[in-house]
């Protein structure tokens, strides 16, 4: 039987199969039992709870989309819903799984040969191998399609990579990083599976982040780094192929934004029921109810968009502009929802332990990564008008 969250106002979870619902129940229970009690503390210290990796892996959250790594066959709505459940409790840990599962395993799933998929996806599913995804650079964020500066030069059976990356999640401790580099010969972007033990590779943690603090983001420097041809993603020939991966993960970020909003909203509802002002719970004041209803409307509309975009994926009809619209709209609404939720708690809303400050801060990174609102809007604008207005 489906155990709908109270914030799933239109019962969207009923879209899932019994097997999928069973799995969602396990994920919800695992996160509430193991992550809720420690998330605030790890977030405040900006540390990663490594001990949770085997448990998260056992829930089948790494690579559920790929034959080589999945525990059971599932639909895209289910896979999106798992992100909602994780982010409801902690958006950082959902980002960690998003990088491992969507970006790193997704790169190998989409761009790897059969041999590469067979080699890497099974150990990544168990968490034995942790991955990262290195696209963004210090001098190139939104414009990576044209602005990517990291170079790859073919020398015999190997490639020599030189360049820098910024913001790379998990890369301070990951075993491999998918590095995106421009082929010096043909100018096209290629992908490489790079073990972090490769000579010439170094990763340094970005300190003092005020959003998604549990995620360990790194600055990477690569100097004369030699990578064998067998580690080049064999099905990636250009940035266009890489965009297929981002199309999949962007929809996942929309799901994440809803989950993060739900976490803040649930804290606001609980607080409003307990906090008494003017002789009654603040939940009984009309203007507080207005805020809560506004949050629920944002959440409900956002889930509807996410469900639809995931179904388009299953139907083979999801285009770049579909996930771009969902990502831009949902993450913008999420910023509003976490701000209204925080407001309901008054001063306590900015204290971590009360449950709204963390999702409030986390909404900012979610809004900007995997394509800023402007970039995703331009993808939609191109679909509407036929004019690319990026430059
Ligand atoms: C917590 C976190 C985790 C991340 N994890 C990863 C990761 O694992 N791997 C990875 O590769 N990257 C990662 N990123 C990087 C992320 O994808 C980039 O931050 C994002 O793409 C934006 O790039 P930028 O920060 O360089 O901003 P910029 O590209 O410098 O943009 C700055 C501002 O200018 C606007 N702008 C730029 N060009 C235009 C234009 N043509 N028209 C209108 N406005 C424009 C942008 O929308 C934005 O508002 C992460 C980022 C964060 C914050």
């Amino acid at each position: 039987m489906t155990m709908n969250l109270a914030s799933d106002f239109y019962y969207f979870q009923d879209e899932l199969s019994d097997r999928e619902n069973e799995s969602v129940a396990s994920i919800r229970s695992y996160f509430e039992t193991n992550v809720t009690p420690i998330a605030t503390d790890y977030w405040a210290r900006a540390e990663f709870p490594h001990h949770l990796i085997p448990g998260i892996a056992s829930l089948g959250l790494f690579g559920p989309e790929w034959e080589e790594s999945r525990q059971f066959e599932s639909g895209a709505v289910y896979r999106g819903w798992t992100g909602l459940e994780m982010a409801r409790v902690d958006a950082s840990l959902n980002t960690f799984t998003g990088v491992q599962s969507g970006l790193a395993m997704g790169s190998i799933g989409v761009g790897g040969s059969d041999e590469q998929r067979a080699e890497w996806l099974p150990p990544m599913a168990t968490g034995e191998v942790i991955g990262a995804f290195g696209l963004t650079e210090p001098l190139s964020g939104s414009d990576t399609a044209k602005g990517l500066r990291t170079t790859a030069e073919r020398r015999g059976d190997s490639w020599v990579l030189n360049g820098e990356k910024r913001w790379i999640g998990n890369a301070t401790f990951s075993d491999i990083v998918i590095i995106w580099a421009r082929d010096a010969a043909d100018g096209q972007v290629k992908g490489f599976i790079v073990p972090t033990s490769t000579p010439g590779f170094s990763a340094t943690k970005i300190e003092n982040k005020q959003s998604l603090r549990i995620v360990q983001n790194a600055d990477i420097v690569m100097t004369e780094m030699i990578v064998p041809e067998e580690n080049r993603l064999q099905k990636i020939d250009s940035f266009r192929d890489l965009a297929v991966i981002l199309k999949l993960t962007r929809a996942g970020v929309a799901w994440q934004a809803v989950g993060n909003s739900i976490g803040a909203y649930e804290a606001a509802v609980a607080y409003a029921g307990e906090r008494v002002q003017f002789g009654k719970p603040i939940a009984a004041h009309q203007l507080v109810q207005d805020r809560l209803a506004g949050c629920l409307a944002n959440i409900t509309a956002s889930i509807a968009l996410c469900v639809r975009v995931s179904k388009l994926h299953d139907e083979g009809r999801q285009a770049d502009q579909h996930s771009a619209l969902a990502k831009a709209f949902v993450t913008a609404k999420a910023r509003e929802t976490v701000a209204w939720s925080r407001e309901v708690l008054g001063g306590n809303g900015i204290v971590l332990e009360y449950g709204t400050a963390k999702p409030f801060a986390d909404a900012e990174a979610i809004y900007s990564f995997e394509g800023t609102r402007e970039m995703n809007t331009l993808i939609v604008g191109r679909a509407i008008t036929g004019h690319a207005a990026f430059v």
Side-chain angles (χ1 to χ4, degrees), residues 25-347:
S26 305
I27 293 164
R28 190 178 299 164
S29 159
Y30 178 88
F31 270 71
E32 287 178 350
T33 308
N34 298 286
V35 180
T36 301
I38 64 163
T40 302
D41 178 47
Y42 274 84
W43 194 95
R45 291 188 286 115
E47 282 182 13
F48 187 84
H50 293 274
H51 65 281
L52 294 178
I53 292 177
I56 293 173
S58 73
L59 294 165
L61 289 165
F62 296 153
E65 184 157 4
W66 313 108
E67 213 179 319
E68 294 86 345
S69 45
R70 70 185 174 213
Q71 290 185 357
F72 65 95
E73 207 168 328
S74 62
V77 176
Y78 161 77
R79 296 192 293 271
W81 203 283
T82 64
L84 177 154
E85 292 289 342
M86 288 185 265
R88 169 177 170 257
V89 174
D90 184 64
S92 293
L93 280 172
N94 178 216
T95 304
F96 160 73
T97 59
V99 171
Q100 166 79 352
S101 181
L103 289 169
M105 296 176 79
S107 296
I108 296 168
V110 169
S113 61
D114 290 348
E115 293 73 26
Q116 288 173 326
R117 290 169 59 123
E119 179 180 355
W120 295 102
L121 293 179
M124 292 181 83
T126 57
E128 198 184 318
V129 171
I130 295 296
F133 179 90
L135 175 63
T136 307
E137 301 184 345
L139 299 178
S140 180
S142 300
D143 73 352
T144 44
K146 294 243 160 61
L148 204 74
R149 287 163 173 80
T150 297
T151 55
E153 210 183 322
R154 182 86 189 243
R155 281 194 210 151
D157 286 343
S158 295
W159 294 79
V160 181
L161 271 62
N162 282 289
E164 292 178 40
K165 296 288 172 186
R166 179 156 173 80
W167 284 120
I168 311 310
N170 303 353
T172 57
F173 62 89
S174 68
D175 302 286
I176 58 166
V177 183
I178 307 295
I179 292 289
W180 299 95
R182 196 173 296 285
D183 183 343
D186 66 7
Q188 298 295 338
V189 171
K190 310 260 158 88
F192 299 86
I193 304 167
V194 175
T196 51
S197 56
T198 307
F201 177 96
S202 76
T204 311
K205 180 179 170 181
I206 297 177
E207 302 285 357
N208 297 326
K209 231 167 56 199
Q210 298 302 316
S211 180
L212 298 177
R213 284 172 58 80
I214 290 175
V215 181
Q216 306 293 300
N217 292 93
D219 283 322
I220 291 176
V221 177
M222 293 159 288
T223 313
E224 293 292 304
M225 195 173 72
I226 295 173
V227 182
E229 161 64 12
E230 66 187 40
N231 279 29
R232 183 180 64 79
L233 291 171
Q234 299 293 318
K235 292 187 182 163
I236 303 278
D237 292 320
S238 67
F239 196 88
R240 195 174 275 276
D241 299 328
L242 158 60
V244 174
I245 301 155
L246 297 178
K247 178 178 73 176
L248 302 178
T249 53
R250 268 182 191 146
V253 175
W255 280 102
Q256 171 179 43
V258 191
N260 187 57
S261 297
I262 289 175
Y265 165 76
E266 287 178 348
V269 172
Y271 187 87
E274 286 166 14
R275 175 72 172 172
V276 174
Q277 289 293 288
F278 296 95
K280 57 184 180 184
I282 59 169
H285 293 297
Q286 290 182 346
L287 296 179
V288 172
Q289 290 189 5
D290 177 51
R291 281 299 188 229
L292 296 176
C295 290
L296 188 57
N298 279 350
I299 289 166
T300 305
S302 296
I303 301 178
L305 221 61
C306 289
V307 167
R308 186 65 195 142
V309 90
S310 291
K311 287 191 165 184
L312 288 177
H313 171 79
D314 284 345
E315 292 165 12
R317 295 164 69 199
Q318 184 195 6
D320 287 345
Q321 58 268 26
H322 295 132
S323 46
L325 181 75
K327 201 276 176 180
F329 181 86
V330 173
T331 58
K333 283 290 160 198
R335 269 176 129 192
E336 197 174 63
T337 308
V338 296
W340 287 345
S341 300
R342 188 219 66 71
E343 184 183 327
V344 166
L345 277 76

Side-chain angles (χ1 to χ4, degrees), residues 140 142-147 374-375 377-379 382 387-391:
S140 180
S142 300
D143 73 352
T144 44
K146 294 243 160 61
E374 289 81 0
M375 288 305 109
T377 300
L378 289 171
I379 291 170
R382 181 179 56 191
H387 296 287
F390 297 89
V391 287

